[in-house]
Amino acid sequence: MAASRDGFEAAEVEGSAGCRGSSGMEVVLPLDPAVPAPLCPHGPTLLFVKVTQGKEETRRFYACSACRDRKDCNFFQWEDEKLSGARLAAREAHNRRCQPPLSRTQCVERYLKFIELPLTQRKFCQRCQQLLLPDDWGQHSEHQVLGNVSITQLRRPSQLLYPLENKKTNAQYLFADRSCQFLVDLLSALGFRRVLCVGTPRLHELIKLTASGDKKSNIKSLLLDIDFRYSQFYMEDSFCHYNMFNHHFFDGKTALEVCRAFLQEDKGEGIIMVTDPPFGGLVEPLAITFKKLIAMWKEGQSQDDSHKELPIFWIFPYFFESRICQFFPSFQMLDYQVDYDNHALYKHGKTGRKQSPVRIFTNIPPNKIILPTEEGYRFCSLCQRYVSLENQHCEHCNSCTSKDGRKWNHCFLCKKCVKPSWIHCSICNHCAVPDHCCQHPKDGCFICGELDHKRSTCPNIATSKRANKAVRKQKQRKSNKMKMETMKGQSMNHTSATRRKKRRERAHQYLGS
């Protein structure tokens, strides 16, 4: 994955000791889709509104879809803001300066020249993260350079490149070999011939490696990723520089047509999309992007196949299940725990709450997916699917209910299974962690607290807006009054201080005389 994972560990909604009101950003769909969003270096921006518990900011704004830290992309524009021609020209110039130094065509030309060099002349600048041709050596003579770059290394660029580590922009946590190999074996067993890898560079590598080393393997792969560094390792038909939060192809129509042709090859048969988005990203823009890719795939389908769905593996933490299923009701979550090489916590072999929370959401029937028994999974004959060993079948819920790999307990008051650390709260009338706060709802609607809808669709939103407007006016009047009193007090204090100073001066003059 190639984007923010900020909020990863904190995102699990298990409650907290403090009593903090919910707050955050919501993406707003523009009223007129024909009006294009302003552009930042990462493509079209998204329209946001800031919401807090019981309050909302009525003025909406555009911000970068990929970066949540303004140090990385400082784009900000109010929705109703009018920009001068000079500012628009300056923005366009800034966007051009922020693009990669080499075009996609130049990267391919350099790659073809690089692989023809003898082994001793194949060099990679670790500081600039760039493959070097002989003409480049002088510019990088004082940098740390890796020599004798083999073809094997070129086929595993995720091991050659340093993972990006800015958590708010593009922290890259790469699949562990165990999870990656499981995915490749599973895709092959399910009979897929093409894989659209959206933000999964390591899976893309392993598919291509398997295809080159095994003549029986006929799986092809196309990588869509925001990390432009991969441009120097792949041909045009294997990689597209892409932002999954706004469906933006950085190389324009050419890259878009590469993706379209890949999706529609063989009339769209035998293809699956595997995506591993940044956990810190909002689910809604991701869902909108994936639906655009699905629509692109459906363009190549006949009317007789209009009922078919594009098979998808969406890899995401289990606590986003309700949000994902809100946009894709046919999706189900598998028990398989996805692990990452360069993440300190989420590795294979952990137990309890230290287990990886990352799961696979898919529209493929779970009874078709076999999970490895040697890694701690078993087949539940009642659910007709593979589950983790500790995920026990509940006779009351009639399903294996655990989401996090631990054994869950059935609450007869809530009429469902809950995490083992939760207890039933008589005040909230549902189960929660023992030190939770009963005062503020953490999920659902910010206005009324109901869990079945969001703030934007709340039936009480009009009343809330009027109340918030009245409260803001009252606060503004109070603030203005306090400012006037403060200014008046400062003026009086200044007058008193001046009088005391003059008295001291007269006293000194009297004593001196």
Side-chain angles (χ1 to χ4, degrees):
M1 68 198 66
S4 65
R5 292 229 182 231
D6 190 37
F8 179 16
E9 292 83 0
E12 183 175 0
V13 282
E14 260 211 331
S16 63
C19 289
R20 296 189 295 266
S22 299
S23 63
M25 299 290 177
E26 282 188 9
V27 176
V28 181
L29 295 179
L31 296 175
D32 186 2
V35 179
L39 300 178
C40 77
H42 303 94
T45 53
L46 295 180
L47 187 61
F48 292 92
V49 62
K50 186 176 181 180
V51 293
T52 54
Q53 182 68 51
K55 301 177 183 179
E56 63 178 87
E57 298 289 340
T58 55
R59 199 175 184 190
R60 305 185 297 192
F61 61 91
Y62 290 101
C64 180
S65 62
C67 305
R68 294 188 304 152
D69 192 334
R70 294 191 66 189
K71 292 179 181 177
D72 299 300
C73 184
N74 62 0
F75 187 97
F76 182 92
Q77 180 181 323
W78 293 112
E79 182 187 20
D80 55 0
E81 185 177 0
K82 303 296 182 183
L83 301 184
S84 65
R87 282 190 65 187
L88 287 172
R91 176 181 290 172
E92 290 176 5
H94 171 73
N95 290 347
R96 285 194 297 270
R97 286 195 301 271
C98 292
Q99 296 310 305
L102 299 173
S103 69
R104 189 74 185 90
T105 304
Q106 288 174 317
C107 288
V108 171
E109 291 174 352
R110 288 174 59 88
Y111 176 73
L112 293 174
K113 291 178 182 178
F114 188 88
I115 59 177
E116 291 178 354
L117 294 173
L119 180 63
T120 54
Q121 293 186 20
R122 292 192 208 130
K123 299 182 180 182
F124 176 76
C125 179
Q126 293 179 316
R127 176 176 170 181
C128 301
Q129 297 285 278
Q130 180 184 336
L131 295 174
L132 302 180
L133 296 175
D135 292 343
D136 305 322
W137 292 353
Q139 301 172 19
H140 301 263
S141 58
E142 297 183 0
H143 298 176
Q144 187 175 356
V145 174
L146 177 68
N148 297 333
V149 178
S150 65
I151 297 297
T152 302
Q153 288 175 299
L154 289 175
R155 289 176 176 171
R156 300 300 303 265
S158 70
Q159 296 182 352
L160 198 59
L161 297 168
Y162 290 137
L164 301 174
E165 295 181 348
N166 187 328
K167 285 190 176 182
K168 289 189 177 180
T169 306
N170 43 22
Q172 291 175 319
Y173 296 119
L174 302 165
F175 290 146
D177 288 340
R178 182 191 69 88
S179 292
C180 205
Q181 189 63 56
F182 163 76
L183 287 169
V184 172
D185 294 342
L186 177 60
L187 296 172
S188 178
L190 291 172
F192 292 108
R193 301 186 299 275
R194 299 189 314 286
V195 183
L196 182 66
C197 295
V198 184
T200 58
R202 186 154 285 182
L203 177 64
H204 176 66
E205 289 173 8
L206 191 56
I207 290 172
K208 293 184 74 65
L209 272 174
T210 304
S212 63
D214 184 1
K215 294 182 179 179
K216 295 181 180 180
S217 176
N218 60 349
I219 301 180
K220 295 194 297 184
S221 176
L222 171 63
L223 174 63
L224 309 183
D225 202 283
I226 200 170
D227 188 350
F228 69 89
R229 298 179 301 171
Y230 286 103
S231 299
Q232 59 189 320
F233 295 95
Y234 295 117
M235 304 296 287
E236 291 101 326
D237 61 351
S238 294
F239 173 78
C240 295
H241 189 197
Y242 179 75
N243 182 352
M244 72 173 78
F245 286 100
N246 57 9
H247 188 55
H248 176 64
F249 289 88
F250 289 86
D251 295 303
K253 190 175 181 180
T254 303
L256 174 65
E257 292 306 318
V258 168
C259 182
R260 190 192 306 277
F262 188 82
L263 284 167
Q264 297 179 7
E265 185 180 330
D266 294 337
K267 297 182 179 180
E269 293 293 328
I271 188 170
I272 184 173
M273 183 178 86
V274 182
T275 181
D276 183 30
F279 300 158
L282 296 171
V283 171
E284 185 168 4
L286 290 170
I288 293 170
T289 289
F290 298 156
K291 287 182 178 181
K292 288 179 180 178
L293 290 170
I294 293 170
M296 194 185 298
W297 169 76
K298 277 186 174 291
E299 289 172 5
Q301 300 279 301
S302 64
Q303 289 189 349
D304 296 336
D305 296 329
S306 59
H307 65 283
K308 289 186 178 180
E309 291 187 16
L310 172 67
I312 296 175
F313 281 169
W314 182 341
I315 296 166
F316 226 48
Y318 69 83
F319 35 83
F320 285 101
E321 181 181 17
S322 62
R323 293 290 288 152
I324 291 175
C325 291
Q326 178 183 343
F327 293 100
F328 297 98
S330 63
F331 277 28
Q332 297 184 62
M333 187 180 79
L334 306 180
D335 266 25
Y336 186 80
Q337 298 178 10
V338 181
D339 303 314
Y340 296 87
D341 252 357
N342 56 328
H343 196 287
L345 297 177
Y346 302 123
K347 295 179 181 290
H348 181 57
K350 301 285 185 179
T351 58
R353 291 198 62 202
K354 294 182 179 179
Q355 299 175 83
S356 172
V358 187
R359 301 291 185 270
I360 300 173
F361 295 87
T362 182
N363 52 2
I364 299 174
N367 59 2
K368 293 185 178 181
I369 298 173
I370 300 174
L371 303 185
T373 54
E374 65 275 10
E375 293 182 16
Y377 301 97
R378 64 177 181 85
F379 184 76
C380 176
S381 57
L382 297 173
C383 294
Q384 286 293 296
R385 69 184 182 102
Y386 277 84
V387 296
S388 61
L389 283 176
E390 292 190 20
N391 189 0
Q392 300 299 311
H393 191 89
C394 175
E395 60 181 12
H396 306 287
C397 299
N398 194 30
S399 67
C400 295
T401 53
S402 175
K403 308 290 185 184
D404 62 4
R406 297 178 291 171
K407 182 181 177 181
W408 284 22
N409 303 321
H410 188 82
C411 174
F412 291 95
L413 296 173
C414 292
K415 297 180 181 180
K416 65 177 182 179
C417 288
V418 298
K419 296 180 180 180
S421 57
W422 287 22
I423 60 172
H424 193 86
C425 175
S426 57
I427 299 174
C428 299
N429 197 30
H430 62 76
C431 289
V433 290
D435 58 350
H436 75 284
C437 175
C438 301
Q439 296 178 12
H440 300 295
K442 286 187 174 289
D443 291 324
C445 178
F446 285 149
I447 295 172
C448 65
E450 294 295 329
L451 301 177
D452 60 348
H453 63 267
K454 303 297 286 184
R455 180 203 63 84
S456 56
T457 57
C458 181
N460 301 322
I461 191 169
T463 306
S464 174
K465 284 182 177 179
R466 286 195 296 269
N468 288 336
K469 189 175 181 180
V471 170
R472 282 197 297 271
K473 283 186 176 180
Q474 186 177 357
K475 285 186 175 180
Q476 187 64 44
R477 286 196 296 268
K478 186 176 180 181
S479 176
N480 292 340
K481 184 178 179 181
M482 291 178 65
K483 285 180 181 177
M484 292 294 292
E485 291 177 351
T486 302
M487 291 173 64
K488 184 178 179 181
Q490 288 176 346
S491 176
M492 292 179 65
N493 291 337
H494 177 72
T495 303
S496 300
T498 304
R499 288 173 179 171
R500 287 195 297 271
K501 184 178 179 181
K502 288 182 177 179
R503 288 197 197 102
R504 284 195 298 269
E505 289 175 352
R506 285 198 298 269
H508 281 299
Q509 290 175 358
Y510 175 77
L511 292 171
S513 61

